[in-house]
Amino acid sequence: MDSVAGQEARGALPEGLGDAIRDTAEEIAALLRGTDDTSIPVPASEWTVGEAAAHLAQANKLIADIAAGQKPVHGDGTAQSLAAANERALAEFEERGAVPLAGMIVEQADAFLDAVAQPAGEDAPLFTPLGPMGRPELGPYLLTHMLGHGYDLARALGRPHMINRARVELTLPFLIAAMPRVTNPAVTTGMTARYTIRLWGGARFGVTLTDGAMDASPRPPSRPDCTILTEPVDFLLMALGRRGPWAAMARGHVLTWGRKPWLAPRFPNLFTAP
């Protein structure tokens, strides 16, 4: 992408999001270009580095195509269907080379930025694997997905990951939109509770359950039952199923208070990470 196109793409997104998408893709690519062995297993995953990178290349293309107005079919929004769709897509895509995949990941991130730089109706829905979304959620969706799998690749290769507070805050529009779509009925059925979630640095949002029905909003509830203050990187890793709450709490990275503080450990279990 040339510099003018890059500036136009970034102007179509919230401040900092375009740069975060581009920089995250480049950092993942740098990880891959630094290894000759893509058969290394990814910790806590059935995938190798090559398979995880191939999935990222495919997912970046999928989200770029969605941004361009296409309606690709990739599961029905449930964790099981998304996993099955991912495995089918990987089986049909043979590339596992580090350098070609690195190039694809960056190329498709650029394609997304080009697509969102084009004018579009504000109310036009975009059809994603997690249901209809607007452009304000789709960019954070792409960033969230890259950060999650970028973290996996960094762990597998013994390198620093690319998640930081600023990038976590940029994922929030997607996470807030996705939370009601990935609830765990085994935990939420019949549950009534009001949560305020605060990240170190100031970002906050609310999650309310009313007899099992969930609503997530950038505006916290006026009288929360439980307030959770958490370090941003731990928050995202817990949200993506990469880290459990007890480890974060043991490091002092999660603090809770309110009328029902015992609701805090239940919060990560309200969701099934897709």
Side-chain angles (χ1 to χ4, degrees):
M1 178 189 296
D2 61 39
S3 60
V4 174
Q7 290 170 3
E8 290 175 352
R10 285 160 177 74
L13 297 171
E15 182 178 359
L17 180 55
D19 287 336
I21 288 170
R22 187 70 170 81
D23 292 347
T24 298
E26 289 283 9
E27 289 168 30
I28 292 170
L31 285 176
L32 292 171
R33 293 181 184 123
T35 182
D36 296 322
D37 184 5
T38 62
S39 67
I40 297 169
V42 173
S45 170
E46 297 180 355
W47 286 347
T48 64
V49 164
E51 289 166 335
H55 169 68
L56 260 179
Q58 290 180 307
N60 280 16
K61 183 180 188 306
L62 178 73
I63 297 177
D65 288 346
I66 292 169
Q70 299 181 35
K71 300 179 181 179
V73 176
H74 193 83
D76 61 11
T78 63
Q80 296 85 349
S81 73
L82 290 175
N86 290 339
E87 292 301 330
R88 285 194 300 271
L90 276 177
E92 296 168 1
F93 181 66
E94 297 182 356
E95 183 61 70
R96 297 294 185 269
V99 172
L101 290 170
M104 292 176 197
I105 289 166
V106 172
E107 178 184 354
Q108 293 304 326
D110 285 346
F112 170 84
L113 293 173
D114 282 337
V116 296
Q118 304 305 314
E122 291 185 4
D123 297 328
L126 299 168
F127 297 90
T128 82
L130 288 174
M133 292 184 186
R135 286 188 172 195
E137 293 80 39
L138 190 63
Y141 187 174
L142 174 59
L143 178 61
T144 302
H145 190 265
M146 285 199 294
L147 289 174
H149 289 292
Y151 173 82
D152 295 339
L153 290 171
R155 287 186 68 203
L157 297 172
R159 301 288 298 281
H161 64 74
M162 65 290 300
I163 305 175
N164 59 37
R165 180 175 67 82
R167 291 176 181 176
V168 171
E169 291 193 4
L170 289 167
T171 70
L172 290 180
F174 164 68
L175 294 175
I176 292 169
M179 281 179 177
R181 309 178 192 192
V182 295
T183 56
N184 181 355
V187 178
T188 60
T189 298
M191 183 176 174
T192 295
R194 294 185 296 274
Y195 288 93
T196 290
I197 310 300
R198 296 176 54 187
L199 305 187
W200 294 4
R204 64 185 66 195
F205 63 95
V207 174
T208 300
L209 291 107
T210 305
D211 196 21
M214 178 178 290
D215 176 69
S217 169
R219 295 176 61 89
S222 58
R223 297 184 65 218
D225 297 311
C226 179
T227 296
I228 302 174
L229 174 65
T230 180
E231 190 277 328
V233 173
D234 273 311
F235 164 77
L236 183 62
L237 293 175
M238 288 187 286
L240 297 178
R242 266 63 172 189
R243 184 168 292 171
W246 297 110
M249 293 175 73
R251 290 194 300 273
H253 287 185
V254 179
L255 302 174
T256 67
W257 63 88
R259 295 177 298 168
K260 300 178 181 179
W262 59 85
L263 291 171
R266 298 183 64 180
F267 186 79
N269 298 323
L270 302 179
F271 312 99
T272 301

